Amino acid sequence: MSETLFISDLHLDADRPQITEGFHALLAGRARQARALYILGDLFEYWIGDDDPQDRHAPTLEAIAALVEHGVPVFFLPGNRDFLLGERALARSRMQLLPDEVVVDVEGTPTLLMHGDLLCTDDVDYQAMRRQFRDPAWQRAFLALPWPEREAQVRALRARSREATYDKPQDITDVNPQAVVAALRKHGVTDLVHGHTHRPAIHELEVDGQPARRMVLGDWYREGSLLICSGPERVLERLPL
Ligand code: MN
């Protein structure tokens, strides 16, 4: 029986090698039998260009490419940490890039895929920052900076965002329910898969009298999180790391 797999928010980082090992185990194990693997953003803790002088994520790019060579397509929808992943990294990993909002056929069900940050519309500061980061001119200027300068900017930004998140009430950093309904309506589908909020769950809802479901992927901090789609079935599984 075939299955399609979804993951997000691994936040791979040299400081947490056990997460990278867990991901590589998935790539070399269960994913080999999958119809496809979808990575819905924040695969990396941060990605600030394809030109890392230390090439720290080379083993991960190669491990993904090995799965693709095995015959399993791997799709990448960028998150707010790794939207700068570029052509070179895509070519090395052989991942296929997906746009921010896309409907794909998942085991016979048209399903909307997003990273999830676009649904957090209550956080207006974040949305303003996101628009800046997604501006091609800003991206060109940032990528032209020397690597150490890019790293310094990311460190400063992360310190600031930790403070900002700490001060915000929980519901501001979660998705806005109206934004979810609007996204499902806009794309004419009943199924949505996203990550970003680190609140793994399968939510049943109703949109225009139709049953709908929002599947939220978990992060990979203490354990891994995997959505397994097989026919009409959707199971959110925890992976020990
Ligand atoms: Mn995110």
Side-chain angles (χ1 to χ4, degrees):
M1 192 169 58
S2 95
E3 55 185 30
T4 301
L5 305 178
F6 288 85
I7 54 172
S8 72
D9 302 282
L10 288 81
H11 293 264
L12 298 182
D13 191 35
D15 293 345
R16 297 182 301 131
Q18 74 281 7
I19 318 281
T20 303
E21 280 163 31
F23 178 47
H24 289 196
L26 174 69
L27 293 172
R30 184 162 193 162
R32 296 243 158 172
Q33 272 73 54
R35 189 197 295 271
L37 171 66
Y38 288 86
I39 304 171
L40 301 189
D42 291 359
L43 172 59
F44 299 102
E45 176 68 1
Y46 61 91
W47 192 275
I48 52 174
D50 292 358
D51 54 339
D52 177 4
Q54 292 183 57
D55 206 10
R56 274 165 287 203
H57 292 299
T60 293
L61 300 179
E62 283 155 21
I64 297 169
L67 177 63
V68 178
E69 274 145 36
H70 186 77
V72 181
V74 179
F75 299 92
F76 176 70
L77 191 155
N80 53 302
R81 307 297 198 104
D82 49 15
F83 58 89
L84 286 173
L85 196 124
E87 292 294 336
R88 244 160 76 196
L90 285 172
R92 287 175 73 188
S93 62
R94 304 191 59 182
M95 292 192 290
Q96 300 177 53
L97 183 68
L98 295 176
D100 284 343
E101 300 180 37
V102 63
V103 174
V104 302
D105 182 293
V106 179
E107 305 281 322
T109 306
T111 304
L112 174 60
L113 313 181
M114 301 176 81
H115 175 56
D117 55 336
L118 276 171
L119 298 167
C120 299
T121 52
D122 295 329
D123 195 342
V124 286
D125 299 342
Y126 172 77
Q127 295 300 336
M129 202 166 70
R130 187 185 194 279
R131 277 191 293 277
Q132 183 200 328
F133 292 158
R134 296 305 182 102
D135 173 36
W138 180 90
Q139 294 189 359
R140 270 194 304 277
F142 180 80
L143 290 172
L145 294 171
W147 184 269
E149 172 60 21
R150 277 177 264 164
E151 274 193 319
Q153 286 200 20
V154 164
R155 270 196 300 275
L157 186 73
R158 286 162 83 196
R160 244 179 34 219
S161 115
R162 263 196 298 277
E163 283 166 30
T165 317
Y166 186 75
D167 287 336
K168 270 173 195 158
Q170 281 273 309
D171 56 338
I172 288 193
T173 47
D174 200 358
V175 298
N176 174 292
Q178 285 90 44
V180 169
V181 170
L184 289 170
R185 261 194 206 124
K186 173 180 162 192
H187 294 280
V189 296
T190 56
D191 281 40
L192 165 65
V193 184
H194 72 81
H196 182 66
T197 59
H198 302 203
R199 291 172 167 88
I202 298 181
H203 300 276
E204 311 270 344
L205 56 153
E206 209 176 88
V207 179
D208 304 326
Q210 288 257 45
R213 51 189 178 179
R214 177 169 72 92
M215 290 152 277
V216 189
L217 306 165
D219 62 58
W220 283 50
Y221 285 123
R222 282 178 204 87
E223 55 190 7
S225 175
L226 177 69
L227 177 71
I228 301 156
C229 305
S230 174
E233 249 177 70
R234 302 291 178 267
V235 178
L236 202 49
E237 223 172 72
R238 304 159 118 182
L239 301 176
L241 293 173

